[in-house]
Amino acid sequence: YFQWVDTILGVENTACCAAFSYAGKLTEAVLLGAVANRFPGKKLEWNSKAMKFTNMPQANKLVARKYRSF
């Protein structure tokens, strides 16, 4: 907790082990797990550069939502 608060306050803390550089990849992996949970027993192939599944178009609908136009 204190390392997190020190990081927010900008306190130099060499013992801090909170590396924020991997947060995006970690979040992507967790959210892909949530999508994969909707397709039990199926193998999903993910293209991270294109941000879509290459073998399951139904799963791509869960990656980003379509917003209605105004």
Side-chain angles (χ1 to χ4, degrees):
Y1 171 79
F2 292 108
Q3 291 175 351
W4 180 71
V5 172
D6 286 345
T7 303
I8 291 173
L9 295 175
V11 175
E12 292 281 332
N13 188 355
T14 57
C16 182
C17 61
F20 296 105
S21 61
Y22 65 89
K25 293 179 182 180
L26 178 63
T27 302
E28 181 178 342
V30 170
L31 294 176
L32 287 175
V35 172
N37 195 35
R38 301 258 184 129
F39 301 95
K42 305 283 184 180
K43 181 178 179 178
L44 300 176
E45 295 175 6
W46 176 248
N47 181 339
S48 62
K49 287 192 176 194
M51 295 289 290
K52 66 179 188 175
F53 292 98
T54 58
N55 66 334
M56 186 80 59
Q58 304 93 324
N60 286 324
K61 294 178 183 177
L62 300 173
V63 173
R65 78 173 47 167
K66 283 193 165 191
Y67 293 99
R68 58 183 180 208
S69 60
F70 289 98

